[in-house]
Amino acid sequence: MPGDDRKVSLRQDLIWRLEAAAFAGFIGLMRLIGLEAASNFGGWVLRTLGPLVGTHKVVMRNLRIAFPEMSEDDRRRLAVAQWEQTGRTFAETAIMDRLTPASGRIDIVGAERLEAIRAFGRPVVFVSGHMANIETMAAVLVASGIPVQVTYRAANNPYVDAQIIAARARYGVKLFAPKGGDGARELLAGMARGESVALMNDQKFSEGPEVVFFGQPVNAAPGPSRLALRFGTVLQPMSVVRLPGVRFRVTAHEPIELQNTGDRAGDIARGVQAVTTFVEERVREHPVDWFWVHKRWPDKVYSALSRES
């Protein structure tokens, strides 16, 4: 049983092991059929099944909030297309060691910025959102030679979590920092050693400052901005776009310089807004690539949407 001080029943442990066996079988199948077939299969499965599950309502509501001017038919088509993207990404994660810069499937824009970060040896805070296949961004950072701590949310099933970590290790991601208290301490220690950190900053974080996303209030995590201010460094935005033929374009954008005015709360809030604005701009450019299944806005925004219906 997992040795994490939790009392796990034999029944729960058996369920976890069965889930892990099924997950291992899925990974094995995807690796057997190859990258393009795996991506196509995953896309077909979620394009077919995604619109049938309850989460599809969340997708449609999110699209109404973000694109009120879009016709309902266009939103429906976009909702189905984003399910395909999500399915492709899920299948591709099983075979990411064949989807790296060395594979020729990833175009890198702004590589000179990454080279400068590596050469200078100064840690930075990489920030991005859940767009297309986010693992490709980690693959690019690994290939760049920059030592970087990658944050992640551990799977509830510890055996599945171990398989996910092993899959990422196959393409070189070895410095993990779990989200939460222990992970925060690891990030601080890593940056003190000169290691950069990479965080996703586009999901709901109720305790974070309120900023504006698609014209509506959202709460976002202050962690990336707080780290950048603490270590006197920049926020380095990254993005990824899916291209035809299981190919991607990963971009290192212009760094975000945070001002240290002495008003710490205000400085952090301005950094959070800058990252949130960056994500919004990328989503507007390629809406099909974003992870629309997440309930991003607070309840009051969804309630107002319901009253308008």
Side-chain angles (χ1 to χ4, degrees):
M1 289 188 189
D4 60 357
D5 298 327
R6 290 179 299 177
K7 292 184 178 180
V8 179
S9 68
L10 289 173
R11 180 175 180 274
Q12 179 62 76
D13 188 65
L14 177 60
I15 292 173
W16 277 343
R17 289 181 183 276
L18 290 173
E19 289 174 346
F23 188 65
F26 171 78
I27 290 177
L29 176 61
M30 295 302 99
R31 296 185 67 81
L32 178 65
I33 65 177
L35 182 58
E36 294 206 12
S39 180
N40 292 338
F41 173 73
W44 173 79
V45 169
L46 279 197
R47 186 181 183 89
T48 303
L49 299 181
L52 304 179
V53 302
T55 307
H56 189 67
K57 295 179 181 179
V58 175
V59 174
M60 292 301 298
R61 291 167 76 195
N62 285 342
L63 289 173
R64 281 184 61 198
I65 293 169
F67 301 115
E69 75 290 349
M70 186 180 289
S71 72
E72 188 69 11
D73 285 344
D74 284 344
R75 282 197 291 262
R76 288 196 185 97
R77 283 190 287 269
L78 179 54
V80 172
Q82 68 83 40
W83 277 117
E84 179 177 337
Q85 294 283 62
T86 301
R88 285 182 177 276
T89 296
F90 180 70
E92 289 159 0
T93 55
I95 201 168
M96 273 300 302
D97 53 314
R98 303 178 200 172
L99 186 51
T100 64
S103 71
R105 292 180 177 271
I106 301 178
D107 299 335
I108 304 174
V109 178
E112 69 281 357
R113 291 197 175 100
L114 301 180
E115 172 57 27
I117 293 169
R118 187 200 64 76
F120 190 53
R122 176 192 180 193
V124 302
V125 180
F126 290 99
V127 289
S128 189
H130 290 76
M131 297 172 276
N133 186 334
I134 61 174
E135 299 290 338
T136 58
M137 288 186 286
V140 166
L141 293 180
V142 168
S144 73
I146 300 171
V148 57
Q149 294 266 358
V150 177
T151 57
Y152 81 107
R153 185 180 300 281
N156 292 331
N157 183 324
Y159 302 114
V160 169
D161 192 53
Q163 291 182 53
I164 293 172
I165 291 175
R168 285 173 166 165
R170 280 196 290 268
Y171 70 93
V173 178
K174 297 177 181 178
L175 297 176
F176 288 106
K179 291 186 177 181
D182 291 342
R185 286 188 288 272
E186 290 180 24
L187 292 179
L188 288 170
M191 290 197 75
R193 293 191 299 268
E195 297 167 359
S196 295
V197 300
L199 305 101
M200 298 289 106
N201 203 195
D202 63 335
Q203 293 193 316
K204 186 176 181 179
F205 189 81
S206 299
E207 295 77 24
E210 186 174 277
V211 292
V212 178
F213 186 55
F214 282 93
Q216 298 292 340
V218 295
N219 297 95
S225 297
R226 186 177 289 150
L227 284 170
L229 286 166
R230 176 165 180 165
F231 288 91
T233 190
V234 299
L235 296 170
Q236 175 55 65
M238 301 283 291
S239 70
V240 57
V241 174
R242 182 179 291 276
L243 304 174
V246 195
R247 296 180 62 253
F248 300 86
R249 181 173 64 249
V250 173
T251 302
H253 296 262
E254 188 75 24
I256 298 173
E257 299 270 0
L258 300 184
Q259 287 189 313
N260 192 343
T261 67
D263 174 13
R264 189 160 184 78
D267 293 339
I268 289 172
R270 283 185 285 274
V272 175
Q273 181 63 73
V275 176
T276 302
T277 299
F278 166 79
V279 172
E280 179 180 333
E281 289 171 350
R282 302 291 80 73
V283 176
R284 287 186 181 278
E285 289 173 352
H286 299 277
V288 72
D289 282 336
W290 198 52
F291 194 61
W292 291 98
V293 303
H294 174 63
K295 192 176 179 182
R296 181 65 187 94
W297 285 270
D299 290 341
K300 61 184 179 181
V301 175
Y302 291 106
S303 296
L305 188 70
S306 298
R307 289 194 296 269
E308 293 172 6
S309 300

